[in-house]
């Protein structure tokens, strides 16, 4: 039996960091030993500050950035956080519960919850530029705000299925977590 | 509560999967399609506002395949439209009873856009109530408002309970900021009329009227008790008003117990399910209050 929601949320919160660059802030989460995943649009420089949930601030530098996927992987020496558990969003069903943790409008480690709307490209006629529409998204009926970008979208067992990236017509759009593997494999190759 | 989030999550996803068997995509406007419900075999219900053309309408079925559909009729007052498709193409809707809904009940909105899977939104009932009249003049049997987000393309799709019962059709246009659902009973009533006649009958009196105010002296006379009413300017020969004995110069002060100070109040009443009903008309004739019975007719097509 999986633990109650507040326990899941507290567990994931430990893996979520704040990414700071000048005055702007976004979200990110622990991927692997000393590695943090976030959005490319959150990190507009080679070096950033990474703030853990316990308040400690560390230095991070970009390992790989992919603006087309809107993903960046940072190396953060001394991060010392457990990596998130993951789940392929393609196995999800619409209606499944989801939750996000991030720093919307600077509110640190805020939780929001909702359900899976759909997975896939946005339908033709949706109010977004065509290049964004055709990408595969985890589409969530869940409230996000600026500052959530780069943070995790997790399923009912706390497994991360996507990286919260943008809001279109009120709909939360997240990059599927599998895209991080694709990015890292491509870099290794 | 011992239910874990993951058990709850499974229940919601199961409900979406089950109800989605009767949720279709409706192609009746440019750009983004809307959603609809295969309500009865061969009959799809959606919102009137999302059906922007009367011909070249198509429906994408729950299990794929896009087929032509014919507009059976529409009722702008309740924001409903009915389409005909061939028989046996999808499961018929499993209907629930929204009468028991209270603020706080959990609900889902479903939709389908083109040949993709079902799309879901989740929320709670915010407010409920009895009969009400939409700003478009239609009568709705229950008020159901929720905090659901009706995302683009979800209009015309169903509101469902966590046990997969369809409670009504979500309308993007009837109210803001909360989402409004057209309840099952209203859909059934409108559907029955559209299937029988191709339209929803509106009541007709067969009299032209204009508002008047009574003088202070008139108001105090016995049997009047109204500030004013609607003076009859003309009576349609053989129309319901003529058959009830109403005459030019009569002032109608109340209809079916509702004061009539403005013609809109009469039109509102006639927009409801009143055709064939006998209503009591209170009127002032020759300075005296009277009451007559009037059998409401059906407004001739094309008449005002």
């Amino acid at each position: 039996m999986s633990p109650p929601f507040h326990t899941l949320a507290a567990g994931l919160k430990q893996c979520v960091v704040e990414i700071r660059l000048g005055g702007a802030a976004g979200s990110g989460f622990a991927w692997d030993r000393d590695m943090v995943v976030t959005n490319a649009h959150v990190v507009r420089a080679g070096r950033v500050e990474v703030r853990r949930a316990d308040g400690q601030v560390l230095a991070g530098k970009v390992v790989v950035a992919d603006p087309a996927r809107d993903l960046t992987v940072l190396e953060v020496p001394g991060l010392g956080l457990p990596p998130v558990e993951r789940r392929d969003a393609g196995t999800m069903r619409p209606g499944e519960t989801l939750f996000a943790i991030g720093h919307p409008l600077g509110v640190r480690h805020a939780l929001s919850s909702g359900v899976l709307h759909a997975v896939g490209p946005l339908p033709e006629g949706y109010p977004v530029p065509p290049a964004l529409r055709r990408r595969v998204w985890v589409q969530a009926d869940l409230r996000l705000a600026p500052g959530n970008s780069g943070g995790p979208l997790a399923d009912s067992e706390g497994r991360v299925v996507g990286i919260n990236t943008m809001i279109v017509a009120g709909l939360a759009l997240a990059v599927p977590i599998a895209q991080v593997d694709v990015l890292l494999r491509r870099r290794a190759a | 509560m011992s239910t874990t989030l993951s058990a709850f999550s499974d229940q919601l996803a199961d409900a979406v999967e089950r109800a989605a068997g009767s949720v279709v995509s409706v192609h009746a406007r440019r750009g983004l399609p809307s959603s609809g419900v295969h309500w009865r075999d061969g009959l799809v219900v959606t919102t009137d506002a999302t059906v922007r053309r009367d011909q070249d309408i198509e429906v994408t079925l729950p299990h794929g395949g896009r087929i032509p559909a014919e507009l059976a009729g529409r009722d702008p007052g309740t924001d409903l439209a009915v389409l005909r498709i061939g028989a046996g193409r999808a499961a018929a809707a499993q209907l629930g009873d929204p009468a028991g809904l209270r603020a706080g009940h959990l609900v889902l909105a479903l939709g389908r856009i083109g040949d993709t899977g079902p799309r879901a939104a989740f929320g709670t009932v915010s407010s409920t109530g009895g009969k009400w009249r939409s700003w478009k003049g239609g009568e709705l049997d229950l008020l159901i408002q929720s905090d659901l987000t009706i995302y683009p393309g979800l209009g015309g799709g169903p509101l469902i309970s966590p046990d997969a019962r369809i409670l009504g059709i979500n309308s993007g246009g009837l109210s803001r900021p909360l989402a409004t659902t057209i309840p099952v009973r209203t859909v059934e009533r409108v559907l029955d009329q559209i299937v029988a006649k191709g339209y929803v009958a509106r009541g007709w009196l067969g009299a032209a009227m204009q508002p008047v105010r009574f003088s202070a002296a008139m108001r105090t006379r016995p049997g009047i008790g109204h500030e004013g009413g609607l003076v009859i300017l003309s009576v349609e020969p053989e129309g319901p008003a003529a058959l009830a004995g109403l005459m030019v110069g009569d002032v109608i002060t109340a209809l079916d117990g509702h004061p009539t100070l403005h013609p809109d109040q009469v039109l509102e009443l006639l927009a409801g399910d009143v055709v064939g009903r006998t209503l009591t008309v209170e009127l002032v004739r020759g300075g005296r209050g009277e009451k007559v019975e009037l059998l409401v007719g059906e407004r001739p097509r094309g008449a005002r």
Side-chain angles (χ1 to χ4, degrees), chain A residues 27 29 37-42 66-72 100 132 135-138 142 144-153 162-168 171-176:
Chain A
S27 305
F29 56 92
V37 167
T38 184
N39 278 140
H41 79 256
V42 167
D66 183 346
R69 288 193 174 83
D70 204 348
L71 288 178
T72 283
L132 290 177
R135 285 198 219 161
V136 173
W137 296 106
V138 183
L142 174 144
L144 298 181
N148 272 113
S149 278
L153 182 68
I163 299 102
N164 296 315
T165 299
M166 65 164 87
I167 308 150
V168 165
L171 194 63
L173 301 181
V175 176

Side-chain angles (χ1 to χ4, degrees), chain B residues 135-176:
Chain B
W135 63 271
K136 294 169 121 188
E139 186 174 278
L140 287 98
D141 299 75
L142 285 174
L143 176 72
I144 308 171
Q145 292 194 300
S146 64
D147 69 354
L148 289 162
T149 305
I150 305 302
Y151 293 103
L154 249 60
L159 182 81
I160 70 166
S161 59
D163 64 352
R165 296 287 163 169
I166 288 178
L167 303 171
I169 299 283
N170 296 317
S171 163
L174 286 180
S175 69
R176 296 269 158 79

Side-chain angles (χ1 to χ4, degrees), chain A residues 59-97:
Chain A
K61 78 169 202 280
V62 173
V63 174
V64 53
D66 183 346
R69 288 193 174 83
D70 204 348
L71 288 178
T72 283
V73 178
L74 301 170
E75 189 180 3
V76 186
L79 181 67
L81 298 179
V84 296
E85 283 188 59
R86 307 170 221 162
R87 175 183 173 195
D88 181 5
T91 64
M92 291 198 80
R93 296 187 293 160
E96 277 193 51
T97 54

Side-chain angles (χ1 to χ4, degrees), chain B residues 19 22 37 39 92-101 142 144 158-169 181-188:
Chain B
S22 61
V37 175
W39 199 269
Q94 296 290 305
L95 302 178
D97 182 6
L101 284 180
L142 285 174
I144 308 171
L159 182 81
I160 70 166
S161 59
D163 64 352
R165 296 287 163 169
I166 288 178
L167 303 171
I169 299 283
T181 302
I182 306 155
V184 166
R185 199 188 312 164
T186 306
V187 177
E188 295 269 294

